[in-house]
């Protein structure tokens, strides 16, 4: 098996694969020092699709599991298929569901999927004119293409919205900003829903919630994700069923209809509103850090599920879960998310307490010592029979870890714990 990527998500994936009862030999490109403990790391960047393909071909890789979106949007599946190599993840055509927000909205419109009302603009002037004529604020401004999570602004006022439109058209997001979506701001609770799919059948995973803003109380700028927990008790089974039937299935059906059959892991970001769940976005891969709270609780064999998905053999299968809950706290470096400090020495990783998983997201190892190597450094996951216990274990483990400038949120899963208390 070959895992492509180098973050905490890929660490969790590599670990779940390495413990499969099929006993695979696991490689990771480029991996990281945490991944190197469970897999053989290979020094090829996730962006070098041709080098990855040659590695897979020359080393008899049976299945390549792609962590990040960029290689999928860039067509890694098609690239590998040319050599008869198997990939767990969608084709370039299907990955557009994440690669273009306008494409995703068009698919949703044709499929009748509940989502925010929207308008598309390919010129700055027409977008600004629209904002001037619009009465209701807040409004959401999105650059069309993948902008590493930075292309979305929830604008409270017209001024903020105009600023976001100008920023998108300024070229700051590259080609991603050449078209802009302006959409209705939805109010409710957000959830991340994953399904594995062969394009027709689905294998639903339990939902998770992530925390995007850097500071407690959801203050400050958005990040790649500062924490997560799973499952989410506030989501009613009927709501979850509605996400599958009204959002995910019609979207998959529509993609198949237009010749972009989706296979792999589909991630729907949804807002549970007063009118039921509505789709915020789709991602063409596992979420980060949601994967880090989902995989430790997976009772089924991840590799078996992936193989069954690729062989279109998932009908009648069920995903089995442990009764445990999981809470992930992300430790970020100084300056994140605007910048990130690197080379800070990390201490406290020698002993990992029981029921705790520590996934490396951006670390470097020199002479047996770990250093920070990016914005999100480590993911500390606690598990236990309740959110209270899982959360206590995660934060107790966080207390043992130190590096200069370390930042983390202290309120991950706090409201989930309060709900559990009732
Ligand atoms: P996206 O990358 O599309 O998921 O957007 C990033 C974040 O912006 C989401 O996780 C939401 O918190 C927020 N967001 C996106 N679209 C909307 C919307 N229509 N209404 C409210 N919040 C939104
Ligand atoms: N957790 C958000 C994402 O993976 O896009």
């Amino acid at each position: 098996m070959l895992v492509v990527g180098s973050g905490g998500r890929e660490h969790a994936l590599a670990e779940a694969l390495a413990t499969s009862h099929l006993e695979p030999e696991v490689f990771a490109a480029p991996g990281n020092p945490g991944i190197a403990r469970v897999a053989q790391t290979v020094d090829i960047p996730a962006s070098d699709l041709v080098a990855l393909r040659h590695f897979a071909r020359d080393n008899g890789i049976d299945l390549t599991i792609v962590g990040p979106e960029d290689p999928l949007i860039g067509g890694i599946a098609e690239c590998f298929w040319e050599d008869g190599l198997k990939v767990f993840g969608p084709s370039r055509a299907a990955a557009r569901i994440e690669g273009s927000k306008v494409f995703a909205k068009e698919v949703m419109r044709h499929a009748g999927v509940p989502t925010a009302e929207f308008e598309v603009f390919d010129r700055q002037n027409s977008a600004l004119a629209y904002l001037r004529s619009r009465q209701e604020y807040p409004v959401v401004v999105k650059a069309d293409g993948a902008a590493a999570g930075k292309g979305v602004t929830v604008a409270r006022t017209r001024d903020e919205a105009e600023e976001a439109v100008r920023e998108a058209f300024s070229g700051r997001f590259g080609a991603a900003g050449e078209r802009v979506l302006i959409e209705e701001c939805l109010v409710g609770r957000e959830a991340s829903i994953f399904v594995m799919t062969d394009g027709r059948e689905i294998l639903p995973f339990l939902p998770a919630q992530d925390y995007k803003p850097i500071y407690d109380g959801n203050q400050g700028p958005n990040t790649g994700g500062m924490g997560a927990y799973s499952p989410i008790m506030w989501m009613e089974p009927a709501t979850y069923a509605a996400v599958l039937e009204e959002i995910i299935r019609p979207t998959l059906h529509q993609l198949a209809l237009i010749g972009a059959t989706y296979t792999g892991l589909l991630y729907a970001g949804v807002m549970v509103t007063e009118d039921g769940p509505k789709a915020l976005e789709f991602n063409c891969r596992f979420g980060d850090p949601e994967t880090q709270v989902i995989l430790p609780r997976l009772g089924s064999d991840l590799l078996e599920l992936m193989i069954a998905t690729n062989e279109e053999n998932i009908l009648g299968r069920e995903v089995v879960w442990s009764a445990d809950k999981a809470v992930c706290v992300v430790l970020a470096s100084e300056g994140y998310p605007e910048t990130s400090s690197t080379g800070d020495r990390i201490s406290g990783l020698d002993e990992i307490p029981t029921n705790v998983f520590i996934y490396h997201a951006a670390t470097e190892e020199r002479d047996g010592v770990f250093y920070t190597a990016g914005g999100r450094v480590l993911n500390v996951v606690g598990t236990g029979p309740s959110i209270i216990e899982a959360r206590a274990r995660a934060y107790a483990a966080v207390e043992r870890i130190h590096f200069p400038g370390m930042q983390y949120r202290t309120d991950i899963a706090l409201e989930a714990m309060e709900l559990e208390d009732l």
Side-chain angles (χ1 to χ4, degrees), residues 123-156:
R123 303 225 334 258
Q124 175 169 313
N125 279 349
S126 44
L128 292 176
Y130 169 81
L131 288 176
R132 269 177 236 120
S133 69
R134 187 184 170 102
Q135 301 303 321
E136 307 98 73
Y137 283 84
V139 77
V140 183
V141 179
K142 301 184 175 183
D144 175 36
K150 301 203 172 74
V152 177
T153 305
V154 179
R156 279 162 299 175

Side-chain angles (χ1 to χ4, degrees), residues 101 116 140 142 152 183-186 190 212 280-281:
K101 292 182 194 291
V140 183
K142 301 184 175 183
V152 177
E183 64 178 47
E184 168 199 10
C185 187
L186 299 176
E190 256 184 272
K212 292 207 171 85
L280 288 173
E281 61 160 353

Side-chain angles (χ1 to χ4, degrees), residues 123-322:
R123 303 225 334 258
Q124 175 169 313
N125 279 349
S126 44
L128 292 176
Y130 169 81
L131 288 176
R132 269 177 236 120
S133 69
R134 187 184 170 102
Q135 301 303 321
E136 307 98 73
Y137 283 84
V139 77
V140 183
V141 179
K142 301 184 175 183
D144 175 36
K150 301 203 172 74
V152 177
T153 305
V154 179
R156 279 162 299 175
T157 62
R158 181 172 300 157
D159 281 351
E160 277 181 35
E162 288 186 4
E163 165 89 29
V165 162
R166 288 201 183 89
E167 190 176 21
F169 283 108
S170 73
R172 193 176 146 212
F173 307 125
E178 281 165 14
R179 273 199 299 183
V180 164
L181 267 168
I182 299 182
E183 64 178 47
E184 168 199 10
C185 187
L186 299 176
V187 180
R189 285 191 133 137
E190 256 184 272
S192 305
I193 313 283
F194 297 178
V195 302
M196 276 195 189
T197 178
D198 56 16
R200 281 172 314 183
E201 303 302 331
I202 59 174
L203 274 178
F205 279 37
L206 286 182
Q209 183 171 333
D210 76 343
Y211 290 77
K212 292 207 171 85
I214 179 88
Y215 302 127
D216 282 11
N218 289 326
Q219 300 298 308
N222 270 354
T223 68
M226 292 301 290
Y229 67 87
S230 179
I232 46 183
M233 289 70 100
W234 53 263
M235 186 180 260
E236 303 288 334
T239 307
Y240 182 65
V243 173
L244 301 182
E245 299 309 320
E246 293 165 22
I247 295 178
I248 291 180
R249 283 192 196 274
T251 299
L252 291 172
H253 182 70
Q254 181 64 24
L255 284 170
L257 266 186
I258 60 171
T261 299
Y262 190 101
T263 63
L265 190 289
L266 180 67
Y267 159 162
V270 304
M271 185 77 89
V272 180
T273 71
E274 278 183 349
D275 306 325
K278 295 190 179 184
L280 288 173
E281 61 160 353
F282 287 102
N283 294 316
C284 63
R285 35 100 195 153
F286 285 88
D288 188 342
E290 293 95 321
T291 302
Q292 293 89 306
V293 287
I294 286 180
L295 294 185
R297 304 172 37 250
L298 183 64
S300 308
D301 193 295
L302 179 69
L303 181 53
E304 262 188 9
L305 295 179
M306 289 176 161
I307 292 171
T309 300
N310 268 24
E311 290 175 349
E312 297 181 27
N313 181 25
I314 56 177
L315 192 61
R317 265 176 210 268
E318 249 184 80
V319 185
V320 179
W321 299 96
S322 87

Side-chain angles (χ1 to χ4, degrees), residues 362-407:
T363 64
E364 229 169 43
E365 189 175 8
R366 286 193 301 270
D367 304 325
V369 179
F370 293 105
Y371 299 89
T372 63
R376 291 189 294 168
V377 178
L378 293 164
N379 307 148
V380 181
V381 178
T383 62
S386 63
I387 288 280
I388 298 182
E389 279 161 274
R391 187 173 186 275
R393 284 181 180 140
Y395 277 108
V398 166
E399 296 283 303
R400 303 160 66 108
I401 300 172
H402 177 77
F403 53 85
M406 179 168 113
Q407 327 180 51

